[in-house]
Amino acid sequence: EGPAAYWTRLPLRSILHDFRQTRDSAALSSDAGTFVCNSLFYHLLNWSAARTSHSVGFVSLPIVNGRPHERGLSIEQQTAAVDDVLRESVRYFLQPSSSDILLG
């Protein structure tokens, strides 16, 4: 019974900029990918729509690997990437700026 779609309020441009400075790769997706991921993200955004003091997002991480040149990322790389997302999201939440959230 909610809207057809929601947009995240996270600072996507800032997060991607930070990733490109310190990580091998990162990409945005207009959908979370599978039914469970899409449903979880939609319901999370629906829950947060009435709560202006909350920001929510969805981060999909690749499989964990422990060896170089293998598909996926090490747990250390994934932990560092999540730290980046959280740091930029909290910074934006404390000091919002429309230029940080828009993609161009």
Side-chain angles (χ1 to χ4, degrees), residues 74-93:
S74 71
I75 193 70
E76 292 82 9
Q77 290 172 304
Q78 292 194 33
T79 302
V82 170
D83 285 347
D84 290 343
V85 170
L86 291 173
R87 183 176 33 264
E88 287 302 311
S89 298
V90 168
R91 183 194 61 75
Y92 176 77
F93 184 78

Side-chain angles (χ1 to χ4, degrees), residues 6-65:
Y6 285 104
W7 296 101
T8 185
R9 295 187 306 240
L10 296 180
L12 301 178
R13 179 185 288 169
S14 181
I15 290 169
L16 271 183
H17 175 75
D18 193 47
F19 267 54
R20 289 181 181 137
Q21 299 292 324
T22 60
R23 308 276 166 251
D24 290 333
S25 65
L28 293 179
S29 173
S30 61
D31 65 80
T34 64
F35 174 77
V36 173
C37 296
N38 283 334
S39 180
L40 173 66
F41 191 36
Y42 179 88
H43 284 89
L44 184 61
L45 288 168
N46 187 54
W47 172 84
S48 73
R51 293 163 177 83
T52 58
S53 64
H54 292 73
S55 289
V56 299
F58 185 92
V59 176
S60 179
L61 299 170
I63 63 171
V64 174
N65 76 38

